[in-house]
Amino acid sequence: MTAFLAGGLAGVSDEVTGEPYEDGSGNRCLPLLREPVLCFAADREGLAAAHRRALSPGWRSPATPTRCSPPETTDNRAAVRAVESEKLSLAGLALHGPRNSVDRAVKGLKLHR
């Protein structure tokens, strides 16, 4: 789930990823996320609360409902579109933004060990 959601962040903007790497032989490699990825553990209520806090203006946060299977399935997108935000059954959430905003969104959640 972490890798799946982090992939959603990578496409948000150029500020999220760095420059592509290139080795000494001229082989180009993909860019990486600029920021560390922190994983938090949460029950349904904690995840839903973080999602609600992250829905403030200016945020774009990939949220993955439990019904999703392959990430590019059109049926999954339609299924998500059919459910109001507060009624989504979330399996995960990825956030990117100013540190204080992210901290507020994940307030009360514990780092996953």
Side-chain angles (χ1 to χ4, degrees):
M1 182 59 62
T2 302
F4 179 69
L5 289 168
L9 289 176
V12 171
S13 73
D14 291 339
E15 74 182 39
V16 176
T17 56
E19 294 293 320
Y21 286 81
E22 187 172 320
D23 66 20
S25 301
N27 297 309
R28 291 183 50 89
C29 302
L30 296 172
L32 301 175
L33 296 174
R34 290 181 186 248
E35 304 294 331
V37 174
L38 301 175
C39 299
F40 292 87
D43 58 14
R44 277 184 199 255
E45 291 78 24
L47 188 57
H51 185 244
R52 276 192 307 276
R53 289 189 292 265
L55 287 176
S56 59
W59 281 77
R60 290 191 305 180
S61 56
T64 304
T66 55
R67 72 178 78 201
C68 287
S69 47
E72 293 302 322
T73 303
T74 304
D75 289 344
N76 286 336
R77 294 181 199 289
V80 172
R81 195 174 297 111
V83 179
E84 293 176 10
S85 182
E86 66 275 358
K87 294 179 183 175
L88 287 170
S89 177
L90 301 173
L93 176 69
L95 304 172
H96 177 266
R99 182 176 178 172
N100 59 349
S101 297
V102 173
D103 287 346
R104 276 193 303 273
V106 299
K107 183 177 181 171
L109 303 183
K110 304 278 188 216
L111 280 171
H112 187 276
R113 294 182 183 245

